């Protein structure tokens, strides 16, 4: 009977240690996520994006940059998948031309964020910044094409553009924490 009690005591202690260690990690990671989100322009978007992604729970700053880049890739792929259908439903030739520009920009944007993910994975943080900045220029080109060369209009993928801008910001906030200050 004594051995059973000892075994139960040891098991209880191990469960308690595991519980506190696990909760400590999660609390620390939530604190890290919050610290990044507080630097962003849209705290709620950041917390929804990073705070609900299961990959964020047990990662570091570099990992959060990679999660943000990955979320951007997913968003860009989703947008690229929808653009042909939006074009088919559009009767305005100016809007069709503009969406074609956006499709081209998003193709390049996809490559830039895939490269940003790889660069971060390889600890090439300056390269990550370059790829994200180039990507921001492409999404800005798409966003702004609806404001020039014809009547000003609202892009049917404006919400997608905004999400990509916000995810790019999250990548950069994390990356700038990793680049040594000179």
């Amino acid at each position: 009977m004594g051995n059973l009690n000892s075994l139960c005591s040891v098991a209880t202690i191990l469960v308690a240690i595991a519980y506190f260690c696990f909760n400590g990690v999660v609390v620390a990671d939530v604190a890290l996520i919050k610290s990044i989100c507080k630097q962003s322009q849209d705290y709620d978007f950041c917390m929804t994006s990073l705070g609900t992604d299961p990959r964020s729970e047990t990662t570091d700053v570099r990992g959060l940059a990679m999660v943000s880049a990955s979320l951007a890739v997913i968003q860009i792929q989703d947008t690229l998948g929808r653009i042909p259908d939006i074009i088919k439903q559009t009767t305005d030739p100016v809007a069709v031309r503009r969406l074609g520009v956006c499709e081209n920009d998003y193709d390049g944007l996809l490559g830039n964020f895939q490269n940003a993910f790889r660069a971060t994975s390889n600890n090439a943080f300056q390269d990550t910044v370059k790829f994200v900045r180039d990507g921001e220029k492409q999404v800005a080109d798409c966003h702004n094409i609806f404001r020039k060369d014809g009547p000003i209009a609202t892009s049917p993928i404006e919400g997608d553009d905004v999400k990509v801008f916000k995810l790019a910001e999250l990548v950069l906030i994390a990356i700038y924490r990793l680049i040594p200050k000179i």
Side-chain angles (χ1 to χ4, degrees), residues 31-52:
L32 177 60
I33 293 168
K34 284 182 178 181
S35 73
I36 287 177
C37 291
K38 284 179 183 175
Q39 288 184 266
S40 72
Q41 293 183 36
D42 189 339
Y43 180 84
D44 292 335
F45 175 84
C46 178
M47 286 302 294
T48 300
S49 299
L50 292 179
T52 61

Side-chain angles (χ1 to χ4, degrees), residues 75 78-79 82 106 139 156-165:
Q75 177 62 51
D78 178 58
T79 305
R82 288 188 0 264
Y106 266 75
V139 77
I157 59 169
E158 181 174 22
D160 301 76
D161 295 346
V162 171
K163 286 178 186 173
V164 172
F165 279 128

Side-chain angles (χ1 to χ4, degrees), residues 5 18 43 48 59 63 69-70 102 106 115 137 151 158-159 163:
N5 285 338
Y43 180 84
T48 300
T59 194
S70 173
C102 286
Y106 266 75
N115 287 333
K137 289 176 189 169
E158 181 174 22
K163 286 178 186 173

Side-chain angles (χ1 to χ4, degrees), residues 16-17 29 31 55 57-58 60 68 70 74 89-90 101 108 115 118 121 128 135 150-151 153-154 170:
I17 290 170
D29 293 330
R55 297 172 293 178
E57 290 178 1
T58 57
D60 57 7
S68 299
S70 173
I74 292 166
Q89 297 171 3
T90 304
V101 169
N115 287 333
R118 278 191 286 280
S121 173
T128 301
T154 300
L170 299 181

Side-chain angles (χ1 to χ4, degrees), residues 90-168:
T90 304
T91 58
D92 177 12
V94 174
V96 169
R97 181 184 53 77
R98 289 172 171 170
L99 283 165
V101 169
C102 286
E103 188 171 33
N104 194 36
D105 287 333
Y106 266 75
D107 276 334
L109 184 60
L110 178 61
N112 273 311
F113 274 90
Q114 289 169 331
N115 287 333
F117 180 90
R118 278 191 286 280
T120 304
S121 173
N122 293 323
N123 296 321
F125 304 133
Q126 294 290 352
D127 291 342
T128 301
V129 171
K130 178 196 175 307
F131 289 126
V132 171
R133 291 287 184 210
D134 289 348
E136 285 177 323
K137 289 176 189 169
Q138 289 168 308
V139 77
D141 182 59
C142 168
H143 191 74
N144 292 331
I145 195 71
F146 283 85
R147 290 166 176 75
K148 60 184 176 184
D149 299 330
I152 294 174
T154 300
S155 168
I157 59 169
E158 181 174 22
D160 301 76
D161 295 346
V162 171
K163 286 178 186 173
V164 172
F165 279 128
K166 290 177 181 182
L167 290 165

